[in-house]
Amino acid sequence: MMNRRMKTLFKEKQHPYFYSLLNILLLSLIISSCAKKPPENILASINGKIISVKDFSDSYFQIILYGNQFDSPENRLTHLNLLIDSYLLAQHGIKNRAISANQLKPVEDRTRRRKTRERLLHKEVELKTPEPTDDDLKKLYLLSTQKVHIKHLFAKTKDEIDSIYTLLRQGRTFESLAFDIYEDSLLKFNGGDLGWNQWGDLDPFLEDTAFTMRPKTYSQPIESRFGWHILKLENKIYNPITTEHDYLAAKRKLKKQFIRREQNKLYYRFINKFMQDKTAVIHNPEWGIVAREIRKRFPANQKISPIIMQMPYSPEFGAIPENLSDIINNPIITFPDGRLTVREFLDRIPDIPPKTIYKSLKESTEMLIRNYFLTQEGIRQGLDKEPDVINSVLFQKNLHAGTLYRKTILNKNSVNPISIDNNVVRSEYDSLRETRFVNNRIFDFTLLVVLDSATAVSYTHLRAHETSLHLVCRLLLEK
């Protein structure tokens, strides 16, 4: 009976109950949507493309760390607005076919590789890092008040250090062995002296041994990320005046230090074990030719800002020189499961930190080889399909597309760069407003809702913790 009555109401649109019932249903839908708590991990959604909290924090952290800015509510809002503008510019450029898929593919591939490796290391290192107990932190606090005077003997391989250790056990002095094995004149004549060191100055594997030794004794061979060592403790200084108040004041910092040290140790253990059976073939003359071109772009003697040298990634290689055109598709590194061509090798230059590429092309190549194997392992485990990786790829794609479209407009028009975003965003907003919110009367909660203003588009009412759904609901309720 009820179903028949409902069918009659909807068939007879002239019935007076029809519009009243429809209005009640629409109002109920809006209110029920407003009652739902918005996703905590989304800051904004622009035509269905989200900006997550992680996207925002990662990009904002880079600006604070390497830019000339300090954290503040105003800077956070400014950065969010810039991200929203970039998304709208990107969508405008892609819609008008001013930006092609080929232009965006290198950034997508690079981001996918990076994030896949990050997920693998998160799984193998961060998730396996132990939480410190109170006893761990107290022990760390006592060690942090000490200083050790250390000498060391070094070798690249286990066999070499075992031979040195045997000579030491047979009666050779530490200093005479240092004179024989070191080429560095300072270490050669000072017996491998590393001087006085506080907790945190040395490799964590060396510290774990050095700070527990007795003066005038030497250690067994120890493996670090650099190779193999034998330590000799010359002397140790204690700070006997410590209080519970001092410990409690340092506890938070000690916890961070403990976690960082444990993660470093887990990372190097994982990498050493992971790379133990990996092989790769470097092809010449391709590598030699490419190395010379890279050195021209990144000269070893060039003075670089310390801030740039601390950044995690290098700039792109840029235009391919003519002398590489004949070998651009030749293999430069071959792996058991694939290869890198010269072009692919150059595309991966941004994955290398500036301090490494300016210092050594050999180390840079080793890093690219290691990154290749880590990426392939992440793909094998399906980590490239995780939501965080996919969202990061889309985020970087939109930022890059926005940058490209901004450059395109600049090249075509002699305009003030500051006005570009406002003009394009105003056009996009007007189009969105006309087609989605006026003519069709559609409340699409996946769209970014912005407030109309006299000065282009204003995002000042988009609170940092609000999603578009929350914002739509708040505006409706306020009205």
Side-chain angles (χ1 to χ4, degrees), residues 437-453:
F437 293 103
V438 179
N439 297 338
N440 297 333
R441 300 285 182 183
I442 296 176
F443 289 97
D444 186 348
F445 295 132
T446 66
L447 297 176
L448 173 71
V449 179
V450 292
L451 302 181
D452 201 358
S453 71

Side-chain angles (χ1 to χ4, degrees), residues 304-316:
I304 306 297
S305 165
I307 294 178
I308 292 178
M309 292 298 279
Q310 293 301 316
M311 296 180 74
Y313 305 120
S314 295
E316 293 184 355

Side-chain angles (χ1 to χ4, degrees), residues 80-97:
L80 179 59
N81 290 342
L82 288 174
L83 296 181
I84 293 171
D85 285 354
S86 291
Y87 266 54
L88 288 172
L89 282 168
Q91 292 172 8
H92 197 275
I94 293 172
K95 183 175 68 176
N96 293 339
R97 297 183 179 179

Side-chain angles (χ1 to χ4, degrees), residues 168-369:
L168 196 59
R169 294 288 300 270
Q170 290 174 353
R172 288 284 303 273
T173 65
F174 207 88
E175 289 70 23
S176 66
L177 288 171
F179 186 87
D180 289 344
I181 66 174
Y182 284 120
E183 294 181 3
D184 180 273
S185 59
L186 183 61
L187 292 173
K188 192 178 190 72
F189 289 100
N190 69 10
D193 197 341
L194 296 179
W196 286 97
N197 294 271
Q198 293 180 322
W199 186 262
D201 290 344
L202 299 172
D203 180 279
F205 294 103
L206 301 183
E207 281 183 341
D208 287 343
T209 299
F211 279 79
T212 58
M213 292 172 63
R214 297 192 311 274
K216 306 304 179 183
T217 61
Y218 58 83
S219 70
Q220 293 183 350
I222 310 162
E223 186 180 13
S224 77
R225 56 183 171 136
F226 305 107
W228 289 85
H229 311 255
I230 298 172
L231 302 182
K232 181 183 179 183
L233 181 63
E234 290 291 307
N235 207 346
K236 181 185 287 190
I237 296 176
Y238 299 87
N239 180 11
I241 306 175
T242 57
T243 66
E244 184 72 13
H245 180 268
D246 294 334
Y247 163 68
L248 293 176
K251 191 172 181 179
R252 185 176 179 183
K253 182 179 179 181
L254 290 170
K255 183 176 180 179
K256 291 181 179 179
Q257 187 181 19
F258 178 93
I259 292 174
R260 185 172 62 249
R261 289 184 80 258
E262 292 303 312
Q263 286 182 348
N264 285 341
K265 291 195 291 185
L266 283 170
Y267 171 79
Y268 291 117
R269 285 193 186 113
F270 167 70
I271 291 296
N272 288 341
K273 184 178 180 181
F274 176 77
M275 294 297 295
Q276 200 167 22
D277 60 346
K278 302 297 187 292
T279 59
V281 177
I282 299 175
H283 295 270
N284 270 314
E286 284 81 4
W287 188 86
I289 297 171
V290 170
R292 285 192 290 272
E293 291 301 321
I294 294 175
R295 186 51 71 218
K296 290 178 184 177
R297 303 286 176 93
F298 303 93
N301 58 354
Q302 183 175 344
K303 291 184 178 180
I304 306 297
S305 165
I307 294 178
I308 292 178
M309 292 298 279
Q310 293 301 316
M311 296 180 74
Y313 305 120
S314 295
E316 293 184 355
F317 179 79
I320 304 297
E322 289 185 10
N323 65 322
L324 295 185
S325 58
D326 292 339
I327 65 170
I328 196 68
N329 294 317
N330 289 4
I332 190 171
I333 304 177
T334 300
F335 305 94
D337 61 345
R339 67 178 192 174
L340 288 183
T341 64
V342 170
R343 184 187 300 278
E344 291 168 332
F345 185 89
L346 294 176
D347 285 344
R348 284 162 169 74
I349 292 296
D351 289 345
I352 306 171
K355 64 180 180 182
T356 303
I357 199 167
Y358 279 103
K359 174 189 174 185
S360 170
L361 294 181
K362 179 178 178 294
E363 288 184 23
S364 299
T365 304
E366 290 173 352
M367 182 174 289
L368 287 181
I369 292 172

